Amino acid sequence: MQLHLSNPPLSQGECALVFCFAPVDNTESFALPSEIATRDEKMWSGLVAEVVQEQKFQGKPNSSVALRLPAGEIRKLVLVGLGDPAALTLEGLRRATANGLRQAHILKAKQVMLSLPETGLDPVRAVQAVAEAALLVAHQDNRFKSQSKSEAETGFSVQEVTLLVPGLEPARADYEAALHRATEMAAGTILARELVAAPANIVTPLTLADTARQIAQEYSLEVEILGREECEALGMGAFLGVAKASDLPPQFIHLTYKPAEGQPLAKLALVGKGLTFDSGGLNLKTDSRSIAMMKTDMGGAAAVLGAARTLAALKPQVELHFIVAATENMISGHGMHPGDILTASNQKTIEINNTDAEGRLTLADALVFAEKLGVDAILDLATLTGACVIALGEEIAGLFTQDEHLAEELHQAAKLSGEKIWRMPMEESYLEGLNSIVADLKNTGPRPGGAITASLFLKQFVEKTPWAHLDVAGPVWTERDSGYNNKGATGYGVRTLVEWVLARQAAHSQT
Ligand code: BES
Ligand code: MN
Ligand code: ZN
């Protein structure tokens, strides 16, 4: 999809997408935006007003009206509700954009003029949000459909969107930069979506490593891929314990981005859980629906690689380490037995009381590795527990950290990205649940509070670096079209990671 910037007003064009606020006062009735109302009287004989009334369109969020017009310079019109102007958020604008473009798609529009309203939001941020939503809603993944099937579904109709921005000219460069950021954000998100959606016979530890190499090559990052022996030399017994049952070699991926010139303002590590398939191991997943979804168990890794792509393109003045311990959790005579004791790279010993709690084992060695790099903060993303999905549902990630500053930064980043996170308690007393008779700790605690004990387990592998963990088991996948996400992989996490890094850079460049 092509995106352009232009000056209002609406002019000649195939399809106009116009945002409408709901009346502030309940006693007032809905009024069409003036640019539409005047045209409606002059050219369309009040057709729009009639349809609006018939459909009881009030400008509420998640509502829209779409129609073809009989005459004049605009042939198709989509009105989308934004709700109460005072309550509008960037995410509300994204969702409205996506809803409107879905309507334009149904009208078979190829070119859309999208008229941005004046809102209380930062106008440059608003342009970024609208552009992100447009690019993401348009992404349809037909890679694995045969030609006849994918042609029948023809893809997203809208090819070109022109954003009409009030007061564009004096700040045009800022708006162009916002479009650029949105384009890179969407590209990283789409990379993550495609990695998650691809099945385990396509995305393997080896192909994940190849993806990292490609990013490194395209954007001149450093890339280091450690195989089994190298991981052994580093003492990564926890990661390798999981990898043992797989016929595919584990790949420990480490991408490094450094600013081309000057000192980095911060040094951060982003760690992603990279299980390209999670059968559960000998504690086999017995529910056939959930085992069949376990190609998504590299959703954290996908977000980290997607963010690597976006950030490498946006070139912040920050040193970044992207880390993924990639493997599969399989079953074989070589695999770990329940009861086995593994030694992680920080020398801690772990009794495996459940082979299905494998993500934390791979992350343990990845976190130890990250901390040794001497970074200012570590953030990990992992499809870690079903318990987190039970707690927060499928749209919200759990945020676990004991660092107030990191928690605040991540809430701010999520507010900008629109990706939902909710802070969960890291109740230290629950650590007792991980006590082992024979080793330093067990890898699983009791069922209640399973997402919390998982985060407490991870914490045992970070000594002193500020660290936060996002449990993204719910939001990496959706079964239905919703907002700018189409059913399937969402690419969740990329935009929050990127906003977090950019905010860190901005905070340091002010001081
Ligand atoms: N990959 C799963 C978690 C998961 C569950 C992701 C549902 C996405 C959707 C993880 O490795 C796992 O199996 N966790 C276990 C932990 C348990 C054995 C303590 C779980 O959540 O059941
Ligand atoms: Mn598992
Ligand atoms: Zn898993």
Side-chain angles (χ1 to χ4, degrees), residues 61-79:
N62 296 319
S63 71
S64 60
V65 163
L67 69 164
R68 259 193 162 279
L69 296 165
E73 52 199 3
I74 298 169
R75 305 314 310 263
K76 296 166 186 176
L77 175 67
V78 180
L79 303 176

Side-chain angles (χ1 to χ4, degrees), residues 428-449:
E428 288 275 358
S429 66
Y430 291 4
L431 192 55
E432 218 178 290
L434 297 176
N435 283 346
S436 163
I437 295 175
V438 290
D440 294 346
L441 73 166
K442 296 190 290 197
N443 73 327
T444 51
R447 240 163 81 88

